[in-house]
Amino acid sequence: MGSDPGTSVVSPHLQHWDAENLFVVGASVYPFNAGYNPTGPLGALALRLGDDLNDYVARPRHL
Ligand SMILES: Cc1cc2nc3c(=O)[nH]c(=O)nc-3n(C[C@H](O)[C@H](O)[C@H](O)COP(=O)(O)OP(=O)(O)OC[C@H]3O[C@@H](n4cnc5c(N)ncnc54)[C@H](O)[C@@H]3O)c2cc1C
């Protein structure tokens, strides 16, 4: 996950840079190996993805 398509696979919205209808959720999107309590932020990302998916389904595009 990152803001630069040249150095990341998915955007901060967890949307694949090259396939806008592909979203990835889970600890695999972390750009580093979290040392402490990765699950809280992961839950927050999943919740935000729920909102983003509602938005995307209503109007498909790069978020
Ligand atoms: C021993 C241990 C202790 C930990 N302690 C803590 C802690 O104290 N605090 C903390 O915040 N985090 C802790 N973590 C880390 C935390 O568990 C992970 O960061 C978090 O669960 C990762 O979530 P995830 O959804 O990315 O992956 P997972 O929770 O591993 O979920 C992946 C899911 O995908 C499923 N799956 C896999 N392959 C397929 C397939 N082909 N088709 C369908 N489903 C599939 C699996 O069955 C699984 O349910 C700990 C991890 C371990 C191993």
Side-chain angles (χ1 to χ4, degrees):
M1 170 178 56
S3 55
D4 179 358
T7 57
S8 57
V9 174
V10 294
S11 75
H13 290 278
L14 310 184
Q15 185 175 27
H16 198 284
W17 288 117
D18 296 330
E20 69 168 36
N21 63 346
L22 175 62
F23 293 81
V24 180
V25 63
S28 64
V29 300
Y30 282 145
F32 58 90
N33 194 2
Y36 296 97
N37 298 323
T39 303
L42 205 52
L45 284 170
L47 282 172
R48 191 178 66 170
L49 179 62
D51 287 339
D52 283 345
L53 284 177
N54 273 335
D55 189 11
Y56 178 82
V57 167
R59 193 162 66 88
R61 66 197 185 286
H62 266 292
L63 298 175

